[in-house]
Amino acid sequence: MAILPKVTHTAKSMRITANDDAQVIGQWLNEYTASAQTFRAYRKEAERLLLWLEAQHLSLADIDRQRLDAFEHFLADPQPAERWVGAPRPRAHPDWRPFRRPLTAASRRQSLVILQGLFSWLVEAGWVEHNPFRLMRDKRRRLDNRREGIERYLERPLWDWLWQWLNRPPEKGASPRVHFTWQRRRLIFGFAYLLAPRISEMASARMSDFTCREGRWWWRVVGKGDKLASIPVPPDMLALLGEWRAHLGLTPLPESDEIGPVLRGLDGQRSLGDNQLYRLIKGSFEDAAQEIEAAEGGAVMVQTLRKATPHWLRHTAITHQAQSGVELRYLARTARHSRLDTTARYLHAEAQEWQQQVSAHRLEMIPPDTDSAADDGGHESL
């Protein structure tokens, strides 16, 4: 499958130099090279749009309001699935696909927001005459209003079981490789649960990102929107990191000049890429699901683990912090959300309290008078 199709363009008032849609998209993406994470996210959405246009024999200039609706339906159900949907693969792999699964409503909205920005840029560049996304503003707002609480997370009992399972040591006599992968997997899941990183942030983390100031440890991370943040490192994370560093033959705590990656390949040196980390976490979910299945455990737990993605770990971390009583203002800083209402979607404890209070609003249940019903032949009286 081609990554960026080439479609000839015939605009008359161009303010850029480009021969086709692929080249102009490339120029737009060049505006975001300073933030690797933003660049990857925007490239993904642009590729999906261009590949869909190629399949429809259309160009960027052909998109109107009606075709925009068709594209949104496509995001919700990319068909034929064998052409569009597949497991994570390196971008150069012949089995690479632009989708891992159909997009949820929230993911579709995010895609449309990114592409609206693209079309605003295309209009300014003179590549297209109008921005069709501006005609769907009300629809996007309604879609946003339909977003409720976060549901894609592991509930506490399942997480507790998973963490115990992850901590089972290898069998006696296991190879050094088995011990290495066991330590690494514990660190990956502990890192994800304790610091709530995005997967790209975990993959790019360096030892020197963990710093100590006035006796307190912080994790420095450049996240979404190229924003720098410092997140408190809890004692359990320091302990996990220390065990991992000992296994690598390093000192217990990081030094300020250590540029080596936190998560490493089997050689103990090279870093892990986003896709490799994604596959490791998904593989762990599948292994855990098989463990429960073999023990004839709960089908719901098995189904949840097989449905879970690495991003569920971030949702799980933030949700469990909220349930533990972390204040919303600190929760938002850990999650690095720009809006408090985004973080508030993780406050499931509030939903539980709501349920309990509404349960006190009751009806007085009066048993039916069966004798009277028999006397009038069972007919209802008005």
Side-chain angles (χ1 to χ4, degrees), residues 346-381:
Y346 292 88
L347 301 182
H348 300 278
E350 182 181 87
Q352 181 178 352
E353 183 180 351
W354 189 7
Q355 282 275 358
Q356 291 173 347
Q357 292 192 17
V358 169
S359 296
H361 180 57
R362 308 191 61 179
L363 288 169
E364 183 179 356
M365 304 305 292
I366 302 174
D369 187 344
T370 54
D371 291 338
S372 298
D375 291 341
D376 64 9
H379 297 293
E380 295 181 357
S381 57

PDB file of all heavy atoms in Angstrom, residues 346-381:
ATOM      1  N   TYR A 346     -12.144  11.617  34.137  1.00  0.00           N
ATOM      2  CA  TYR A 346     -11.580  10.473  34.844  1.00  0.00           C
ATOM      3  C   TYR A 346     -12.147  10.321  36.258  1.00  0.00           C
ATOM      4  O   TYR A 346     -11.766   9.392  36.967  1.00  0.00           O
ATOM      5  CB  TYR A 346     -10.051  10.624  34.946  1.00  0.00           C
ATOM      6  CG  TYR A 346      -9.345  10.516  33.621  1.00  0.00           C
ATOM      7  CD1 TYR A 346      -9.159  11.635  32.820  1.00  0.00           C
ATOM      8  CD2 TYR A 346      -8.864   9.299  33.162  1.00  0.00           C
ATOM      9  CE1 TYR A 346      -8.509  11.547  31.597  1.00  0.00           C
ATOM     10  CE2 TYR A 346      -8.210   9.192  31.939  1.00  0.00           C
ATOM     11  CZ  TYR A 346      -8.035  10.327  31.164  1.00  0.00           C
ATOM     12  OH  TYR A 346      -7.393  10.235  29.951  1.00  0.00           O
ATOM     13  N   LEU A 347     -13.021  11.201  36.676  1.00  0.00           N
ATOM     14  CA  LEU A 347     -13.508  11.196  38.060  1.00  0.00           C
ATOM     15  C   LEU A 347     -14.661  10.217  38.227  1.00  0.00           C
ATOM     16  O   LEU A 347     -15.807  10.590  38.423  1.00  0.00           O
ATOM     17  CB  LEU A 347     -13.921  12.608  38.481  1.00  0.00           C
ATOM     18  CG  LEU A 347     -12.808  13.656  38.395  1.00  0.00           C
ATOM     19  CD1 LEU A 347     -13.319  15.005  38.871  1.00  0.00           C
ATOM     20  CD2 LEU A 347     -11.599  13.228  39.220  1.00  0.00           C
ATOM     21  N   HIS A 348     -14.351   8.933  38.141  1.00  0.00           N
ATOM     22  CA  HIS A 348     -15.391   7.909  38.262  1.00  0.00           C
ATOM     23  C   HIS A 348     -15.943   7.830  39.677  1.00  0.00           C
ATOM     24  O   HIS A 348     -17.053   7.360  39.886  1.00  0.00           O
ATOM     25  CB  HIS A 348     -14.821   6.546  37.855  1.00  0.00           C
ATOM     26  CG  HIS A 348     -14.314   6.517  36.450  1.00  0.00           C
ATOM     27  ND1 HIS A 348     -15.149   6.333  35.368  1.00  0.00           N
ATOM     28  CD2 HIS A 348     -13.072   6.686  35.941  1.00  0.00           C
ATOM     29  CE1 HIS A 348     -14.430   6.368  34.244  1.00  0.00           C
ATOM     30  NE2 HIS A 348     -13.170   6.579  34.568  1.00  0.00           N
ATOM     31  N   ALA A 349     -15.168   8.264  40.665  1.00  0.00           N
ATOM     32  CA  ALA A 349     -15.667   8.245  42.042  1.00  0.00           C
ATOM     33  C   ALA A 349     -16.900   9.113  42.177  1.00  0.00           C
ATOM     34  O   ALA A 349     -17.830   8.800  42.923  1.00  0.00           O
ATOM     35  CB  ALA A 349     -14.573   8.716  42.998  1.00  0.00           C
ATOM     36  N   GLU A 350     -16.928  10.234  41.439  1.00  0.00           N
ATOM     37  CA  GLU A 350     -18.089  11.110  41.454  1.00  0.00           C
ATOM     38  C   GLU A 350     -19.310  10.386  40.891  1.00  0.00           C
ATOM     39  O   GLU A 350     -20.420  10.522  41.403  1.00  0.00           O
ATOM     40  CB  GLU A 350     -17.791  12.361  40.636  1.00  0.00           C
ATOM     41  CG  GLU A 350     -18.906  13.372  40.620  1.00  0.00           C
ATOM     42  CD  GLU A 350     -18.557  14.580  39.769  1.00  0.00           C
ATOM     43  OE1 GLU A 350     -18.803  14.538  38.555  1.00  0.00           O
ATOM     44  OE2 GLU A 350     -18.024  15.556  40.315  1.00  0.00           O
ATOM     45  N   ALA A 351     -19.127   9.579  39.859  1.00  0.00           N
ATOM     46  CA  ALA A 351     -20.230   8.819  39.280  1.00  0.00           C
ATOM     47  C   ALA A 351     -20.776   7.809  40.288  1.00  0.00           C
ATOM     48  O   ALA A 351     -21.986   7.591  40.389  1.00  0.00           O
ATOM     49  CB  ALA A 351     -19.767   8.113  38.007  1.00  0.00           C
ATOM     50  N   GLN A 352     -19.863   7.184  41.056  1.00  0.00           N
ATOM     51  CA  GLN A 352     -20.301   6.212  42.059  1.00  0.00           C
ATOM     52  C   GLN A 352     -21.125   6.894  43.145  1.00  0.00           C
ATOM     53  O   GLN A 352     -22.178   6.388  43.562  1.00  0.00           O
ATOM     54  CB  GLN A 352     -19.081   5.525  42.664  1.00  0.00           C
ATOM     55  CG  GLN A 352     -19.436   4.474  43.706  1.00  0.00           C
ATOM     56  CD  GLN A 352     -18.191   3.800  44.244  1.00  0.00           C
ATOM     57  OE1 GLN A 352     -17.090   3.998  43.752  1.00  0.00           O
ATOM     58  NE2 GLN A 352     -18.367   2.996  45.283  1.00  0.00           N
ATOM     59  N   GLU A 353     -20.662   8.043  43.598  1.00  0.00           N
ATOM     60  CA  GLU A 353     -21.402   8.775  44.623  1.00  0.00           C
ATOM     61  C   GLU A 353     -22.773   9.205  44.093  1.00  0.00           C
ATOM     62  O   GLU A 353     -23.784   9.154  44.801  1.00  0.00           O
ATOM     63  CB  GLU A 353     -20.603   9.996  45.068  1.00  0.00           C
ATOM     64  CG  GLU A 353     -21.281  10.778  46.183  1.00  0.00           C
ATOM     65  CD  GLU A 353     -20.464  11.994  46.613  1.00  0.00           C
ATOM     66  OE1 GLU A 353     -19.309  12.123  46.154  1.00  0.00           O
ATOM     67  OE2 GLU A 353     -21.007  12.806  47.379  1.00  0.00           O
ATOM     68  N   TRP A 354     -22.808   9.621  42.835  1.00  0.00           N
ATOM     69  CA  TRP A 354     -24.072  10.009  42.199  1.00  0.00           C
ATOM     70  C   TRP A 354     -25.050   8.830  42.229  1.00  0.00           C
ATOM     71  O   TRP A 354     -26.229   8.986  42.565  1.00  0.00           O
ATOM     72  CB  TRP A 354     -23.763  10.453  40.769  1.00  0.00           C
ATOM     73  CG  TRP A 354     -24.916  11.093  40.032  1.00  0.00           C
ATOM     74  CD1 TRP A 354     -26.133  11.431  40.512  1.00  0.00           C
ATOM     75  CD2 TRP A 354     -24.909  11.469  38.652  1.00  0.00           C
ATOM     76  NE1 TRP A 354     -26.911  11.991  39.525  1.00  0.00           N
ATOM     77  CE2 TRP A 354     -26.167  12.030  38.375  1.00  0.00           C
ATOM     78  CE3 TRP A 354     -23.964  11.388  37.639  1.00  0.00           C
ATOM     79  CZ2 TRP A 354     -26.506  12.489  37.102  1.00  0.00           C
ATOM     80  CZ3 TRP A 354     -24.300  11.850  36.375  1.00  0.00           C
ATOM     81  CH2 TRP A 354     -25.553  12.402  36.116  1.00  0.00           C
ATOM     82  N   GLN A 355     -24.556   7.645  41.850  1.00  0.00           N
ATOM     83  CA  GLN A 355     -25.409   6.457  41.863  1.00  0.00           C
ATOM     84  C   GLN A 355     -25.957   6.196  43.272  1.00  0.00           C
ATOM     85  O   GLN A 355     -27.146   5.901  43.438  1.00  0.00           O
ATOM     86  CB  GLN A 355     -24.594   5.243  41.401  1.00  0.00           C
ATOM     87  CG  GLN A 355     -24.398   5.165  39.900  1.00  0.00           C
ATOM     88  CD  GLN A 355     -25.580   4.482  39.222  1.00  0.00           C
ATOM     89  OE1 GLN A 355     -26.526   4.041  39.893  1.00  0.00           O
ATOM     90  NE2 GLN A 355     -25.535   4.418  37.904  1.00  0.00           N
ATOM     91  N   GLN A 356     -25.102   6.306  44.285  1.00  0.00           N
ATOM     92  CA  GLN A 356     -25.527   6.019  45.646  1.00  0.00           C
ATOM     93  C   GLN A 356     -26.591   7.001  46.113  1.00  0.00           C
ATOM     94  O   GLN A 356     -27.567   6.608  46.773  1.00  0.00           O
ATOM     95  CB  GLN A 356     -24.313   6.051  46.581  1.00  0.00           C
ATOM     96  CG  GLN A 356     -23.347   4.893  46.350  1.00  0.00           C
ATOM     97  CD  GLN A 356     -22.080   5.026  47.162  1.00  0.00           C
ATOM     98  OE1 GLN A 356     -21.788   6.091  47.721  1.00  0.00           O
ATOM     99  NE2 GLN A 356     -21.306   3.957  47.246  1.00  0.00           N
ATOM    100  N   GLN A 357     -26.408   8.276  45.775  1.00  0.00           N
ATOM    101  CA  GLN A 357     -27.371   9.271  46.231  1.00  0.00           C
ATOM    102  C   GLN A 357     -28.708   9.132  45.507  1.00  0.00           C
ATOM    103  O   GLN A 357     -29.773   9.266  46.123  1.00  0.00           O
ATOM    104  CB  GLN A 357     -26.797  10.676  46.033  1.00  0.00           C
ATOM    105  CG  GLN A 357     -25.611  10.953  46.951  1.00  0.00           C
ATOM    106  CD  GLN A 357     -25.228  12.417  46.978  1.00  0.00           C
ATOM    107  OE1 GLN A 357     -25.998  13.284  46.573  1.00  0.00           O
ATOM    108  NE2 GLN A 357     -24.028  12.704  47.463  1.00  0.00           N
ATOM    109  N   VAL A 358     -28.661   8.842  44.212  1.00  0.00           N
ATOM    110  CA  VAL A 358     -29.909   8.680  43.461  1.00  0.00           C
ATOM    111  C   VAL A 358     -30.655   7.432  43.928  1.00  0.00           C
ATOM    112  O   VAL A 358     -31.891   7.370  43.876  1.00  0.00           O
ATOM    113  CB  VAL A 358     -29.611   8.622  41.944  1.00  0.00           C
ATOM    114  CG1 VAL A 358     -30.841   8.195  41.163  1.00  0.00           C
ATOM    115  CG2 VAL A 358     -29.146   9.986  41.448  1.00  0.00           C
ATOM    116  N   SER A 359     -29.910   6.423  44.421  1.00  0.00           N
ATOM    117  CA  SER A 359     -30.560   5.199  44.900  1.00  0.00           C
ATOM    118  C   SER A 359     -31.479   5.459  46.085  1.00  0.00           C
ATOM    119  O   SER A 359     -32.383   4.669  46.366  1.00  0.00           O
ATOM    120  CB  SER A 359     -29.497   4.163  45.275  1.00  0.00           C
ATOM    121  OG  SER A 359     -28.762   3.767  44.143  1.00  0.00           O
ATOM    122  N   ALA A 360     -31.256   6.566  46.790  1.00  0.00           N
ATOM    123  CA  ALA A 360     -32.119   6.908  47.922  1.00  0.00           C
ATOM    124  C   ALA A 360     -33.455   7.484  47.481  1.00  0.00           C
ATOM    125  O   ALA A 360     -34.374   7.637  48.290  1.00  0.00           O
ATOM    126  CB  ALA A 360     -31.402   7.904  48.842  1.00  0.00           C
ATOM    127  N   HIS A 361     -33.577   7.824  46.214  1.00  0.00           N
ATOM    128  CA  HIS A 361     -34.823   8.360  45.655  1.00  0.00           C
ATOM    129  C   HIS A 361     -35.648   7.177  45.175  1.00  0.00           C
ATOM    130  O   HIS A 361     -35.373   6.598  44.123  1.00  0.00           O
ATOM    131  CB  HIS A 361     -34.478   9.301  44.503  1.00  0.00           C
ATOM    132  CG  HIS A 361     -35.668   9.918  43.838  1.00  0.00           C
ATOM    133  ND1 HIS A 361     -36.613  10.659  44.499  1.00  0.00           N
ATOM    134  CD2 HIS A 361     -36.060   9.897  42.534  1.00  0.00           C
ATOM    135  CE1 HIS A 361     -37.527  11.070  43.661  1.00  0.00           C
ATOM    136  NE2 HIS A 361     -37.221  10.619  42.454  1.00  0.00           N
ATOM    137  N   ARG A 362     -36.669   6.779  45.964  1.00  0.00           N
ATOM    138  CA  ARG A 362     -37.314   5.499  45.728  1.00  0.00           C
ATOM    139  C   ARG A 362     -38.831   5.627  45.613  1.00  0.00           C
ATOM    140  O   ARG A 362     -39.425   6.628  45.973  1.00  0.00           O
ATOM    141  CB  ARG A 362     -36.962   4.533  46.865  1.00  0.00           C
ATOM    142  CG  ARG A 362     -35.465   4.430  47.127  1.00  0.00           C
ATOM    143  CD  ARG A 362     -35.146   3.290  48.049  1.00  0.00           C
ATOM    144  NE  ARG A 362     -35.565   2.016  47.482  1.00  0.00           N
ATOM    145  CZ  ARG A 362     -35.377   0.843  48.107  1.00  0.00           C
ATOM    146  NH1 ARG A 362     -34.824   0.811  49.302  1.00  0.00           N
ATOM    147  NH2 ARG A 362     -35.785  -0.276  47.541  1.00  0.00           N
ATOM    148  N   LEU A 363     -39.410   4.547  45.130  1.00  0.00           N
ATOM    149  CA  LEU A 363     -40.863   4.389  45.111  1.00  0.00           C
ATOM    150  C   LEU A 363     -41.275   3.453  46.240  1.00  0.00           C
ATOM    151  O   LEU A 363     -40.528   2.531  46.604  1.00  0.00           O
ATOM    152  CB  LEU A 363     -41.318   3.777  43.786  1.00  0.00           C
ATOM    153  CG  LEU A 363     -41.250   4.660  42.540  1.00  0.00           C
ATOM    154  CD1 LEU A 363     -41.477   3.811  41.294  1.00  0.00           C
ATOM    155  CD2 LEU A 363     -42.284   5.760  42.621  1.00  0.00           C
ATOM    156  N   GLU A 364     -42.457   3.684  46.788  1.00  0.00           N
ATOM    157  CA  GLU A 364     -43.009   2.732  47.748  1.00  0.00           C
ATOM    158  C   GLU A 364     -43.680   1.624  46.959  1.00  0.00           C
ATOM    159  O   GLU A 364     -44.713   1.832  46.311  1.00  0.00           O
ATOM    160  CB  GLU A 364     -44.024   3.426  48.671  1.00  0.00           C
ATOM    161  CG  GLU A 364     -44.565   2.496  49.739  1.00  0.00           C
ATOM    162  CD  GLU A 364     -45.552   3.193  50.649  1.00  0.00           C
ATOM    163  OE1 GLU A 364     -45.737   4.417  50.482  1.00  0.00           O
ATOM    164  OE2 GLU A 364     -46.145   2.521  51.500  1.00  0.00           O
ATOM    165  N   MET A 365     -43.036   0.466  46.961  1.00  0.00           N
ATOM    166  CA  MET A 365     -43.526  -0.643  46.137  1.00  0.00           C
ATOM    167  C   MET A 365     -44.693  -1.343  46.846  1.00  0.00           C
ATOM    168  O   MET A 365     -44.530  -1.958  47.909  1.00  0.00           O
ATOM    169  CB  MET A 365     -42.401  -1.640  45.870  1.00  0.00           C
ATOM    170  CG  MET A 365     -41.177  -1.001  45.212  1.00  0.00           C
ATOM    171  SD  MET A 365     -41.596  -0.128  43.666  1.00  0.00           S
ATOM    172  CE  MET A 365     -42.040  -1.511  42.629  1.00  0.00           C
ATOM    173  N   ILE A 366     -45.923  -1.209  46.283  1.00  0.00           N
ATOM    174  CA  ILE A 366     -47.134  -1.808  46.862  1.00  0.00           C
ATOM    175  C   ILE A 366     -47.474  -3.057  46.069  1.00  0.00           C
ATOM    176  O   ILE A 366     -47.626  -3.004  44.842  1.00  0.00           O
ATOM    177  CB  ILE A 366     -48.307  -0.813  46.807  1.00  0.00           C
ATOM    178  CG1 ILE A 366     -47.917   0.474  47.555  1.00  0.00           C
ATOM    179  CG2 ILE A 366     -49.566  -1.433  47.385  1.00  0.00           C
ATOM    180  CD1 ILE A 366     -48.955   1.562  47.432  1.00  0.00           C
ATOM    181  N   PRO A 367     -47.540  -4.197  46.730  1.00  0.00           N
ATOM    182  CA  PRO A 367     -47.876  -5.433  46.004  1.00  0.00           C
ATOM    183  C   PRO A 367     -49.232  -5.302  45.336  1.00  0.00           C
ATOM    184  O   PRO A 367     -50.136  -4.657  45.869  1.00  0.00           O
ATOM    185  CB  PRO A 367     -47.907  -6.504  47.103  1.00  0.00           C
ATOM    186  CG  PRO A 367     -47.130  -5.909  48.239  1.00  0.00           C
ATOM    187  CD  PRO A 367     -47.343  -4.430  48.157  1.00  0.00           C
ATOM    188  N   PRO A 368     -49.406  -5.887  44.153  1.00  0.00           N
ATOM    189  CA  PRO A 368     -50.717  -5.805  43.479  1.00  0.00           C
ATOM    190  C   PRO A 368     -51.781  -6.562  44.262  1.00  0.00           C
ATOM    191  O   PRO A 368     -51.495  -7.578  44.907  1.00  0.00           O
ATOM    192  CB  PRO A 368     -50.445  -6.470  42.124  1.00  0.00           C
ATOM    193  CG  PRO A 368     -49.262  -7.368  42.362  1.00  0.00           C
ATOM    194  CD  PRO A 368     -48.421  -6.670  43.376  1.00  0.00           C
ATOM    195  N   ASP A 369     -53.032  -6.026  44.206  1.00  0.00           N
ATOM    196  CA  ASP A 369     -54.171  -6.660  44.872  1.00  0.00           C
ATOM    197  C   ASP A 369     -54.707  -7.731  43.946  1.00  0.00           C
ATOM    198  O   ASP A 369     -55.540  -7.485  43.071  1.00  0.00           O
ATOM    199  CB  ASP A 369     -55.238  -5.607  45.174  1.00  0.00           C
ATOM    200  CG  ASP A 369     -56.365  -6.185  46.031  1.00  0.00           C
ATOM    201  OD1 ASP A 369     -56.458  -7.422  46.115  1.00  0.00           O
ATOM    202  OD2 ASP A 369     -57.121  -5.380  46.590  1.00  0.00           O
ATOM    203  N   THR A 370     -54.214  -8.959  44.113  1.00  0.00           N
ATOM    204  CA  THR A 370     -54.573 -10.033  43.185  1.00  0.00           C
ATOM    205  C   THR A 370     -56.043 -10.413  43.290  1.00  0.00           C
ATOM    206  O   THR A 370     -56.665 -10.801  42.299  1.00  0.00           O
ATOM    207  CB  THR A 370     -53.705 -11.267  43.464  1.00  0.00           C
ATOM    208  OG1 THR A 370     -53.829 -11.624  44.851  1.00  0.00           O
ATOM    209  CG2 THR A 370     -52.237 -10.969  43.160  1.00  0.00           C
ATOM    210  N   ASP A 371     -56.631 -10.281  44.496  1.00  0.00           N
ATOM    211  CA  ASP A 371     -58.042 -10.649  44.636  1.00  0.00           C
ATOM    212  C   ASP A 371     -58.927  -9.721  43.825  1.00  0.00           C
ATOM    213  O   ASP A 371     -59.856 -10.143  43.140  1.00  0.00           O
ATOM    214  CB  ASP A 371     -58.455 -10.595  46.111  1.00  0.00           C
ATOM    215  CG  ASP A 371     -57.783 -11.704  46.924  1.00  0.00           C
ATOM    216  OD1 ASP A 371     -57.380 -12.715  46.304  1.00  0.00           O
ATOM    217  OD2 ASP A 371     -57.651 -11.534  48.155  1.00  0.00           O
ATOM    218  N   SER A 372     -58.658  -8.389  43.884  1.00  0.00           N
ATOM    219  CA  SER A 372     -59.459  -7.420  43.133  1.00  0.00           C
ATOM    220  C   SER A 372     -59.328  -7.659  41.651  1.00  0.00           C
ATOM    221  O   SER A 372     -60.274  -7.539  40.890  1.00  0.00           O
ATOM    222  CB  SER A 372     -59.028  -5.995  43.483  1.00  0.00           C
ATOM    223  OG  SER A 372     -59.248  -5.749  44.857  1.00  0.00           O
ATOM    224  N   ALA A 373     -58.086  -7.985  41.228  1.00  0.00           N
ATOM    225  CA  ALA A 373     -57.877  -8.229  39.804  1.00  0.00           C
ATOM    226  C   ALA A 373     -58.699  -9.413  39.336  1.00  0.00           C
ATOM    227  O   ALA A 373     -59.242  -9.413  38.238  1.00  0.00           O
ATOM    228  CB  ALA A 373     -56.382  -8.476  39.534  1.00  0.00           C
ATOM    229  N   ALA A 374     -58.838 -10.427  40.225  1.00  0.00           N
ATOM    230  CA  ALA A 374     -59.623 -11.604  39.833  1.00  0.00           C
ATOM    231  C   ALA A 374     -61.098 -11.270  39.770  1.00  0.00           C
ATOM    232  O   ALA A 374     -61.823 -11.761  38.913  1.00  0.00           O
ATOM    233  CB  ALA A 374     -59.375 -12.741  40.831  1.00  0.00           C
ATOM    234  N   ASP A 375     -61.591 -10.381  40.684  1.00  0.00           N
ATOM    235  CA  ASP A 375     -63.013 -10.050  40.725  1.00  0.00           C
ATOM    236  C   ASP A 375     -63.449  -9.337  39.469  1.00  0.00           C
ATOM    237  O   ASP A 375     -64.578  -9.535  38.984  1.00  0.00           O
ATOM    238  CB  ASP A 375     -63.306  -9.162  41.935  1.00  0.00           C
ATOM    239  CG  ASP A 375     -63.156  -9.952  43.240  1.00  0.00           C
ATOM    240  OD1 ASP A 375     -63.187 -11.214  43.167  1.00  0.00           O
ATOM    241  OD2 ASP A 375     -63.008  -9.311  44.296  1.00  0.00           O
ATOM    242  N   ASP A 376     -62.622  -8.459  38.899  1.00  0.00           N
ATOM    243  CA  ASP A 376     -63.091  -7.705  37.729  1.00  0.00           C
ATOM    244  C   ASP A 376     -62.645  -8.369  36.416  1.00  0.00           C
ATOM    245  O   ASP A 376     -62.637  -7.737  35.374  1.00  0.00           O
ATOM    246  CB  ASP A 376     -62.614  -6.263  37.767  1.00  0.00           C
ATOM    247  CG  ASP A 376     -61.092  -6.137  37.691  1.00  0.00           C
ATOM    248  OD1 ASP A 376     -60.432  -7.172  37.431  1.00  0.00           O
ATOM    249  OD2 ASP A 376     -60.586  -5.025  37.918  1.00  0.00           O
ATOM    250  N   GLY A 377     -62.329  -9.645  36.543  1.00  0.00           N
ATOM    251  CA  GLY A 377     -61.990 -10.364  35.303  1.00  0.00           C
ATOM    252  C   GLY A 377     -60.602 -10.052  34.780  1.00  0.00           C
ATOM    253  O   GLY A 377     -60.292 -10.429  33.642  1.00  0.00           O
ATOM    254  N   GLY A 378     -59.777  -9.422  35.598  1.00  0.00           N
ATOM    255  CA  GLY A 378     -58.413  -9.129  35.159  1.00  0.00           C
ATOM    256  C   GLY A 378     -58.285  -7.907  34.312  1.00  0.00           C
ATOM    257  O   GLY A 378     -57.234  -7.617  33.812  1.00  0.00           O
ATOM    258  N   HIS A 379     -59.377  -7.142  34.089  1.00  0.00           N
ATOM    259  CA  HIS A 379     -59.328  -5.925  33.273  1.00  0.00           C
ATOM    260  C   HIS A 379     -58.780  -4.770  34.085  1.00  0.00           C
ATOM    261  O   HIS A 379     -59.056  -4.641  35.267  1.00  0.00           O
ATOM    262  CB  HIS A 379     -60.721  -5.560  32.738  1.00  0.00           C
ATOM    263  CG  HIS A 379     -61.279  -6.600  31.817  1.00  0.00           C
ATOM    264  ND1 HIS A 379     -60.755  -6.889  30.589  1.00  0.00           N
ATOM    265  CD2 HIS A 379     -62.347  -7.444  31.996  1.00  0.00           C
ATOM    266  CE1 HIS A 379     -61.455  -7.851  30.022  1.00  0.00           C
ATOM    267  NE2 HIS A 379     -62.428  -8.204  30.860  1.00  0.00           N
ATOM    268  N   GLU A 380     -58.003  -3.920  33.412  1.00  0.00           N
ATOM    269  CA  GLU A 380     -57.464  -2.730  34.076  1.00  0.00           C
ATOM    270  C   GLU A 380     -58.573  -1.698  34.256  1.00  0.00           C
ATOM    271  O   GLU A 380     -59.437  -1.562  33.411  1.00  0.00           O
ATOM    272  CB  GLU A 380     -56.338  -2.122  33.256  1.00  0.00           C
ATOM    273  CG  GLU A 380     -55.114  -3.041  33.155  1.00  0.00           C
ATOM    274  CD  GLU A 380     -54.011  -2.370  32.359  1.00  0.00           C
ATOM    275  OE1 GLU A 380     -54.234  -1.267  31.861  1.00  0.00           O
ATOM    276  OE2 GLU A 380     -52.934  -2.967  32.240  1.00  0.00           O
ATOM    277  N   SER A 381     -58.525  -0.985  35.384  1.00  0.00           N
ATOM    278  CA  SER A 381     -59.459   0.118  35.583  1.00  0.00           C
ATOM    279  C   SER A 381     -58.715   1.431  35.360  1.00  0.00           C
ATOM    280  O   SER A 381     -57.555   1.547  35.707  1.00  0.00           O
ATOM    281  CB  SER A 381     -60.009   0.068  37.027  1.00  0.00           C
ATOM    282  OG  SER A 381     -58.950   0.116  37.963  1.00  0.00           O
TER     283      SER A 381
END
